Amino acid sequence: MTARSIQHTLAALGDADKAAHLQRFFKTGPGEYGEGDLFRGIRVPVLRKVARANKALPLGETLQLLQSTHHEDRFVALCILVHAYQRGDEDQQHTVYNAYLAHTRWISSWDLVDTSAHKIVGAHLWRRSRAPLYALAASELLWERRIAIVATLHFIWKGDFADTLGVAEKLLTDSHDLIHKAVGWMLREVGKQQFDVQEAFMRQHYAAMPRTMLRYAIERYPEALRQAYLKGTA
């Protein structure tokens, strides 16, 4: 079992028509966030099945797979890393966490972040200092900033909202739409657990939020309240 053998498996599963669609959907054109990314054209359930079948892939081979030019290869590698973290002892978890953060340049799309950040970074920092999140939030790399906020989903599910709100505040003035969406999504998740906590944050900060962030955050609000936020009269 090697990275190369998995790539051969994935190559055989590819579909050129689906690949062309995905390359458009994930904005791979010049100047777009996914510029140069390559797709094989494989559905996510199939990728997860391949990952499960190869969950014992050694870490070195997994990291080699993560450095592939093909998006689906990196998705499978991250699923394997998540499995390794969740099944590992403390030493292995620390190793996987460090390897993940050392390879963020290849975690180079919103779906790759969203399938892994909370399960590795969030899980690892649950009983540790949250300082790494704020360092990631200040990064020049888009994907590290998205990792910072999405990682806090692990905390939200455990009823801890402080760092979601702290990172969100740091990212309020971020220029990228993918960060606006991620912050709005996490604020919405806070509201699903504790509406009053989200509402207090929204009242303080909504006027400064980019429109996309605001729309994502208030998506589940009662219509009258949602319209008040959109009109700036909340």
Side-chain angles (χ1 to χ4, degrees), residues 12 44 86 114 133 181 197:
V44 167
Q86 292 176 338
D114 296 357
L133 294 178
K181 291 176 179 178
V197 173

Side-chain angles (χ1 to χ4, degrees), residues 33-210:
Y33 69 77
E35 180 175 359
D37 205 357
L38 298 177
F39 283 80
R40 299 189 186 278
I42 308 171
R43 295 172 59 247
V44 167
V46 176
L47 296 176
R48 292 194 182 280
K49 183 177 180 180
V50 172
R52 286 194 298 271
N54 293 278
K55 61 188 179 183
L57 187 71
L59 180 61
E61 293 291 327
T62 305
L63 296 176
Q64 183 176 332
L65 185 62
L66 182 58
Q67 296 172 60
S68 171
T69 56
H70 283 84
H71 190 103
E72 290 94 342
D73 300 10
R74 302 199 302 280
F75 189 97
V76 168
L78 289 165
C79 290
I80 294 171
L81 279 180
V82 167
H83 181 272
Y85 185 89
Q86 292 176 338
R87 300 296 181 180
D89 59 20
E90 187 172 350
D91 287 342
Q92 184 175 355
Q93 289 178 341
H94 193 68
T95 298
V96 171
Y97 166 80
N98 284 333
Y100 184 91
L101 291 184
H103 290 78
T104 51
R105 60 174 291 193
W106 289 283
I107 308 171
S108 54
S109 188
W110 55 266
D111 64 317
L112 302 181
V113 171
D114 296 357
T115 201
S116 60
H118 58 298
K119 296 176 182 177
I120 295 177
V121 178
H124 198 71
L125 298 181
W126 170 238
R127 299 191 183 281
R128 295 176 173 86
S129 167
R130 310 290 170 78
L133 294 178
Y134 295 88
L136 289 166
S139 173
E140 294 184 359
L141 184 63
L142 164 64
W143 309 117
E144 290 191 343
R145 301 199 304 277
R146 187 160 176 123
I147 286 168
I149 188 65
V150 174
T152 70
L153 183 59
H154 183 88
F155 311 155
I156 294 170
W157 287 345
K158 290 181 175 292
D160 181 350
F161 314 120
D163 291 291
T164 301
L165 303 181
V167 173
E169 188 171 3
K170 295 291 185 184
L171 295 174
L172 280 177
T173 59
D174 198 281
S175 62
H176 205 288
D177 182 69
L178 289 176
I179 300 301
H180 303 169
K181 291 176 179 178
V183 172
W185 169 29
M186 288 304 108
L187 291 174
R188 187 173 72 238
E189 290 296 320
V190 169
K192 286 162 66 174
Q193 299 290 327
Q194 190 69 51
F195 178 78
D196 290 347
V197 173
Q198 183 198 7
E199 179 65 357
F201 184 89
M202 296 299 298
R203 294 276 178 172
Q204 183 177 356
H205 296 292
Y206 86 95
M209 285 184 180

